[in-house]
Amino acid sequence: ASINVSKSVNDAQLMSVSAASPVSKLVDDVQLVSVSAAPSSPQHVISSVPKGPRETSSTETLFLGSSESIKCLDVYPLELRFPWEPNTRITCPVTLTNRTDHCVGVWITPICQDPCSDLHFLVLWEGKRREVPCSTLYRRVGAHSTLVLQMTMEEKQLPPPPRKVGKFEVVMIDLGSEHVLVRSDLKVKLNYDFLKSMKESGREIHRAMLRAVICDPSSCQAAMTHKLVPVTSTQSEYRSFIDAHPTETWILMGDTKGWVSVWNYQTQERMMVMKVTKVDTGETCSVHSIKFIAGEQWFAAGDDDGWVHVYAYTTKDKIKEFEAHRGKAIDSLAVHPMGRPFLLTSSANDTSIKLWDWSKNWMCTQTFDVLSNRGVFRLKWNRGDTNTFSGVSFDKKIKIWNIDSTYPVTTLEESYNNDYLFLGSHERLMVTACNQEPLVEGFDSACIWDLQTEKRVHNLGMRGDTSVIACHPTLPLLATLLEYRIVCLWDARTYR
């Protein structure tokens, strides 16, 4: 159930208030009027969680402020499920989303029913053990941003007691545009006076309860983990490059030793292996980029001397080799995603990008100017507008070209990786790894851009390698890499 509150809280809705917390003391200062049904949104309700000494209600979420706050401030998931395995470090990410125009402060406090609980001593935030297990963790989330925090359970030989439950109170407060916190570790105490001042100034206050549970891996459908088995080339000390087939469960790999192989990542079997060689001399070529040309059952490999080699991966026959960037390693290839016979090539040491048409015997039909003293890398076609493509320049800019224009039509500043994000037939979005001021000190950012307005619409902050970004070609899904080689799959509509 939720509680409607009148007078000084603007008809606030109250749910699950801890009797000893500053939030509950603030609630005691207002007049309780009536009880209504809890919000239907599943992210705000958890059922069947045992009550602790600090809890006076069976519900699990508190909300003070306008009704828009439920849409603007979000904690997800509310149940952290740890699929326990012996001697294994287990991590569960929590997303804190702020859709307001202001900075939001977040306080996470363990509800320590038993200070000696195994779960509280096992749980780490951001890979670090808390000096005081029941102390409050404070973080700041910027406007229109989502912050990922990782709760980690350390390795242990024996499992915790069955159905062990750990609980955490999360309070999110709109700090207002004038309230600037430049460091996340500033000691902003969540006490009664601070909460009262926030309420009196009309700030939004949102509270949620997290619970952490131990579960059997076979029953933890919400926490799927996969061990990554490395697939290496014959000479693992050489640099490797990969591509994924658009429809098959295949990975194409090439390395600077000249080896190329195709693997089935479901069966983890190698389906084909060969070496890339020059036609006239038989000399082995050092592979620096590689791509499937799936519609023709080919692959293209760029070497360190500026040549492109095209093979049929079913027969290993060479289809074509041609010089694309004389004497300069080809660092990036991009095959048109919608079946047009186009291949883009670029080199870090060449200030031009070239478009090749294999239906015209691999003729170069267009050259694009990078407008920089070096080339670009990470070429990508836009599936939403297949006449455009992008590349990352070495001055950390994302540049976008139209195939009918020699010069870039759009430039996004301070970014060093990108992918096109599908969110609807009329929306043109791009995700980039950003060099902007981080949302929280020590965190990296991935930024979502509206390509029509050339403005950021949302930021994703996390500890990890934000240079690793991938988007699903036809679904609103994107993947980022967190610490400890954890891949985080996002719903781009909800930022969860």
Side-chain angles (χ1 to χ4, degrees), residues 347-403:
S347 171
N349 298 309
D350 194 339
T351 59
S352 64
I353 303 168
K354 296 182 179 179
L355 178 67
W356 306 87
D357 187 336
W358 65 75
S359 70
K360 298 179 180 179
N361 195 28
W362 294 95
M363 178 188 298
C364 180
T365 58
Q366 181 65 285
T367 299
F368 307 93
D369 198 324
V370 175
L371 297 182
S372 176
N373 57 2
R374 294 193 66 186
V376 299
F377 57 102
R378 293 175 177 152
L379 292 172
K380 292 182 183 292
W381 286 97
N382 183 357
R383 293 183 65 96
D385 180 0
T386 55
N387 288 324
T388 62
F389 67 91
S390 65
V392 183
S393 63
F394 282 85
D395 52 358
K396 296 180 180 178
K397 297 178 181 179
I398 306 293
K399 298 182 178 181
I400 301 174
W401 289 263
N402 188 291
I403 60 174

Side-chain angles (χ1 to χ4, degrees), residues 101-249:
D101 295 328
H102 303 149
C103 176
V104 165
V106 181
W107 292 259
I108 303 178
T109 306
I111 298 178
C112 292
Q113 303 175 22
D114 178 6
C116 298
S117 166
D118 282 341
L119 189 61
H120 291 305
F121 281 109
L122 285 171
V123 168
L124 312 176
W125 283 107
E126 302 164 11
K128 298 179 181 179
R129 184 184 296 277
R130 306 291 292 169
E131 293 182 5
V132 180
C134 294
S135 63
T136 297
L137 176 75
Y138 172 74
R139 289 292 178 261
R140 173 181 60 92
V141 183
H144 297 284
S145 300
T146 295
L147 180 63
V148 182
L149 296 179
Q150 298 183 66
M151 180 185 284
T152 303
M153 181 175 294
E154 288 184 315
E155 302 90 338
K156 195 173 183 181
Q157 177 63 36
L158 298 176
R163 296 189 301 174
K164 193 70 178 180
V165 175
K167 295 183 184 178
F168 302 84
E169 177 186 66
V170 182
V171 177
M172 303 177 72
I173 300 178
D174 181 348
L175 300 174
S177 58
E178 71 280 2
H179 197 297
V180 180
L181 297 176
V182 293
R183 290 171 58 91
S184 63
D185 56 357
L186 289 178
K187 302 301 182 182
V188 181
K189 293 183 179 180
L190 188 67
N191 55 34
Y192 172 74
D193 291 336
F194 176 72
L195 281 171
K196 185 177 180 181
S197 68
M198 291 292 100
K199 182 200 72 169
E200 290 175 347
S201 60
R203 304 290 184 243
E204 304 289 356
I205 303 175
H206 179 73
R207 175 181 178 264
M209 295 297 296
L210 299 178
R211 74 168 184 172
V213 297
I214 308 300
C215 60
D216 187 286
S218 62
S219 65
C220 282
Q221 298 178 359
M224 299 176 60
T225 59
H226 299 277
K227 293 181 179 179
L228 300 181
V229 178
V231 180
T232 60
S233 62
T234 307
Q235 300 291 337
S236 59
E237 66 269 23
Y238 290 89
R239 292 177 61 198
S240 297
F241 308 88
I242 69 170
D243 187 34
H245 196 282
T247 58
E248 304 288 347
T249 57

Side-chain angles (χ1 to χ4, degrees), residues 398 412-419 430-434 445-449 456 466 469:
I398 306 293
L412 304 180
E413 303 288 341
E414 296 301 313
S415 301
Y416 51 93
N417 193 13
N418 70 300
D419 201 357
M430 175 179 283
V431 184
T432 69
C434 295
S445 298
C447 304
I448 301 177
W449 296 78
R456 293 189 186 99
T466 54
I469 295 173

